[in-house]
Amino acid sequence: MKRRPLIAGNWKMHKTIAETLAYIEAFKPLVAGVEDRDIMLAPPFTALDAAQRALEGSRISLGAQNCHWEEEGAFTGEISARMLADIGVTYVILGHSERRHIFGETDEMIRQKVAAVLRHELVPILCIGETLEEREAGKTFSVLERQLKEGLKGLSAGDLKDLVIAYEPVWAIGTGKTASPEQAEEAHAFCRRLLAEMFGADFAEKIRILYGGSVKPENIVGLMARPDIDGALVGGASLKPDVFARIVCFGRME
Ligand code: PEP
């Protein structure tokens, strides 16, 4: 079955409102004719509202990079899924390795965030991936299994029908080291088999699994040629509109 590709840009802690607007103005015409794949931009929280207005009428969706699991309350510095829905966000990136490793997010916290995002009919992009140490110790599959099982515990196939998974080996994020298409495909196929065991084969066939980790215009075609790779979550290379547009337009312009 062919799943609709999703190419998603994670800007991390980059760009002011003015920089966001200049990016979107340059980016929109570069991807205007692209209709056979989904495109998402995830600016920082401070630029979400301006980005939402600038993207109106385009086919580019808005994403957020994180959220809190509670609706509201005494959680200084946090933003809830309810607030993201209010601003017009479609996707929320959850469990990014920087959140797990720098900010100490656990699988349990991430599970609660997935549930909160679903309560507001937003689409979770659940990030999973092993560190270099885990890969070298032969633990890649057990780490992926734990992150998927714990992150989706208690949720049903119906709840999760729009779920997006992002396989992002930690050793490939921002390092310039990309997993080879074979390494990525092996991990993606493993995740899809596991999703089939957890929620059924039909469910697993429909779920998009993105690859993330130093994706560039030069390696996107090889990755997307693999049967279980349904798109990309792009960090550094999403910060320049012309470079990200070349990734979005893979197979069309090269
Ligand atoms: C990411 O932050 O999700 C990511 C994959 O970053 P980069 O593309 O810079 O490796």
Side-chain angles (χ1 to χ4, degrees), residues 10 12 96 168 172-174 212-215 233-236:
N10 171 18
K12 313 192 186 193
H96 189 281
E168 300 206 305
I173 297 181
S214 300
V215 172
L233 181 54
V234 186

Side-chain angles (χ1 to χ4, degrees), residues 80-98:
S80 69
R82 177 167 174 255
M83 294 165 181
L84 296 177
D86 186 39
I87 237 171
V89 159
T90 301
Y91 297 91
V92 188
I93 299 169
L94 296 173
H96 189 281
S97 65
E98 288 151 16

Side-chain angles (χ1 to χ4, degrees), residues 29-231:
L30 298 176
V31 299
V34 179
E35 291 181 356
D36 58 349
R37 56 201 76 178
D38 293 334
I39 309 167
M40 183 210 85
L41 289 175
F45 287 132
T46 48
L48 281 175
D49 187 44
Q52 199 279 330
R53 289 166 210 266
L55 292 174
E56 227 157 37
S58 79
R59 295 188 53 263
I60 305 160
S61 301
L62 189 63
Q65 301 174 19
N66 182 29
C67 74
H68 195 269
W69 57 87
E70 293 290 347
E71 300 290 296
E72 58 183 17
F75 301 100
T76 301
E78 292 292 327
I79 304 279
S80 69
R82 177 167 174 255
M83 294 165 181
L84 296 177
D86 186 39
I87 237 171
V89 159
T90 301
Y91 297 91
V92 188
I93 299 169
L94 296 173
H96 189 281
S97 65
E98 288 151 16
R99 301 291 326 163
R100 292 177 189 263
H101 298 292
I102 304 173
F103 300 102
E105 286 192 10
T106 62
D107 288 317
E108 171 55 18
M109 289 157 91
I110 295 160
R111 183 193 68 73
Q112 293 189 65
K113 292 180 182 212
V114 172
V117 159
L118 294 172
R119 279 200 299 278
H120 290 280
E121 296 179 6
L122 304 176
V123 178
I125 301 182
L126 172 62
C127 301
I128 57 174
E130 80 288 359
T131 62
L132 185 59
E133 208 183 0
E134 288 162 341
R135 173 163 282 262
E136 287 176 345
K139 292 185 182 157
T140 298
F141 294 149
S142 62
V143 169
L144 298 180
E145 180 166 351
R146 191 203 74 230
Q147 291 176 335
L148 269 182
K149 285 194 167 160
E150 295 295 314
L152 301 175
K153 199 158 68 186
L155 296 162
S156 70
D159 297 330
L160 293 166
K161 64 180 183 349
D162 296 321
L163 172 73
V164 177
I165 301 291
Y167 169 61
E168 300 206 305
V170 180
W171 48 273
I173 297 181
T175 58
K177 284 188 204 152
T178 324
S180 68
E182 293 73 22
Q183 284 172 319
E185 172 60 22
E186 187 186 32
H188 284 226
F190 172 81
C191 292
R192 203 176 302 286
R193 280 197 302 276
L194 190 63
L195 289 170
E197 277 171 32
M198 292 164 69
F199 299 107
D202 286 355
F203 173 89
E205 270 305 297
K206 289 186 188 132
I207 293 300
R208 292 185 288 188
I209 307 179
L210 314 183
Y211 169 77
S214 300
V215 172
K216 308 179 202 64
E218 294 72 28
N219 56 29
I220 184 71
V221 175
L223 289 161
M224 290 303 296
R226 299 293 157 153
D228 288 293
I229 301 181
D230 307 314

